[in-house]
Amino acid sequence: MNIKELIFGGSVKAAGGGGAYRDSIQAWLPIKNIIGGVAVTRDNRFIKILEVLPVNIYLKSPSDRQNIISSFAAYLKIAPDSFQLQARTLPADTGEYVERMKQYAGEEENESCREMIEDNIREIGQGVASDAIRHRFFLIFQYEAGMKAAGYTAAAIIQRLNEEADTARRYLDVCELEVLDPQYSDDFILKLLYEIINKRTSLRVKLPEGVFDMTTAVHGIFE
């Protein structure tokens, strides 16, 4: 099961009401809300998604490898009973790289270095890197009764999931794995869902900064 199946599933039916227009995205998308970096589904599941930056364990010394394995095993002992590690494979985005190289070329005073940079830009433009791919790794878990959120309110459940996320960060940091902590966690979840739903469109049309606040003001559920 991947991220899309976990969130969208096959049994979640379109829910009417809630301000959704007929035949609109809101009518079939089984996400009721995004609060505090947690996705709340229409069947009232609370899902936390963390992005993890990988480390190449084969570049580590034998002792470091053993420490990483032992530390990860320690995390598994206290991790949520049911969680997933997912990888998304995406085409490499060379646009930002090319623009940065153009900036370097414009600032480079040495003619030979400038020619090397421009040659690199031409190679990228001719599709040398068209087959390049990149990977994004995610750790996903949902609220379970065993987590025992105080009061079992939505706010308490979200706080409990974020506490689990902080625990994962501490343990994985010992494994030399960085768990990203986005400044705007709701924007992060919204953009990730957008990329999952619109695989091709999201490669060329990026969501603007602050899009979560814009969409919430129009279609969101505040309470």
Side-chain angles (χ1 to χ4, degrees):
M1 181 179 290
N2 56 32
I3 298 177
K4 189 171 184 178
E5 291 172 339
L6 175 67
I7 296 178
F8 297 91
S11 60
V12 179
K13 298 181 179 179
Y21 295 98
R22 182 179 179 181
D23 299 326
S24 67
I25 292 177
Q26 294 92 337
W28 64 262
L29 185 66
I31 298 296
K32 181 165 59 175
N33 207 348
I34 300 173
I35 313 173
V38 174
V40 185
T41 65
R42 290 191 184 277
D43 58 352
N44 293 319
R45 288 177 296 122
F46 292 75
I47 299 173
K48 184 69 179 181
I49 305 174
L50 301 174
E51 183 167 5
V52 182
L53 299 184
V55 61
N56 191 338
I57 194 172
Y58 297 107
L59 297 180
K60 303 294 182 179
S61 67
S63 59
D64 287 342
R65 291 184 197 177
Q66 187 58 48
N67 289 336
I68 290 174
I69 293 172
S70 299
S71 299
F72 187 68
Y75 172 65
L76 292 180
K77 292 180 180 179
I78 55 91
D81 292 337
S82 177
F83 77 95
Q84 298 183 23
L85 296 173
Q86 295 288 336
R88 296 194 69 215
T89 302
L90 304 167
D93 182 6
T94 59
E96 183 179 350
Y97 174 80
V98 169
E99 289 301 318
R100 188 164 66 249
M101 289 298 102
K102 287 182 178 179
Q103 181 181 354
Y104 291 158
E107 299 172 353
E108 180 58 57
E109 297 180 357
N110 186 290
E111 183 177 355
S112 296
C113 291
R114 187 167 58 251
E115 289 179 355
M116 292 175 63
I117 296 174
E118 292 173 350
D119 182 61
N120 180 256
I121 293 173
R122 284 192 296 271
E123 287 185 354
I124 297 296
Q126 290 171 359
V128 172
S130 61
D131 295 328
I133 59 175
R134 61 188 176 96
H135 301 280
R136 296 180 69 186
F137 299 89
F138 300 92
L139 189 155
I140 312 155
F141 53 88
Q142 64 183 22
Y143 177 76
E144 303 165 349
M147 293 181 181
K148 297 181 180 180
Y152 294 99
T153 63
I157 290 174
I158 291 169
Q159 180 180 352
R160 186 69 185 85
L161 283 174
N162 285 324
E163 289 173 356
E164 287 288 339
D166 290 338
T167 299
R169 286 190 179 90
R170 291 195 299 271
Y171 273 84
L172 296 182
D173 181 64
V174 180
C175 300
E176 301 186 32
L177 293 169
E178 179 183 357
V179 179
L180 296 184
D181 187 12
Q183 182 177 6
Y184 302 105
S185 56
D186 291 345
D187 275 7
F188 165 75
I189 298 296
L190 180 62
K191 290 178 180 178
L192 178 60
L193 295 178
Y194 167 71
E195 292 171 0
I196 292 173
I197 298 170
N198 305 280
K199 290 183 179 179
R200 295 183 180 179
T201 302
S202 61
L203 295 177
R204 56 183 176 81
V205 181
K206 304 298 182 182
L207 291 181
E209 295 298 327
V211 65
F212 182 84
D213 292 332
M214 291 187 289
T215 55
T216 300
V218 178
H219 300 293
I221 303 173
F222 290 93
E223 298 295 338

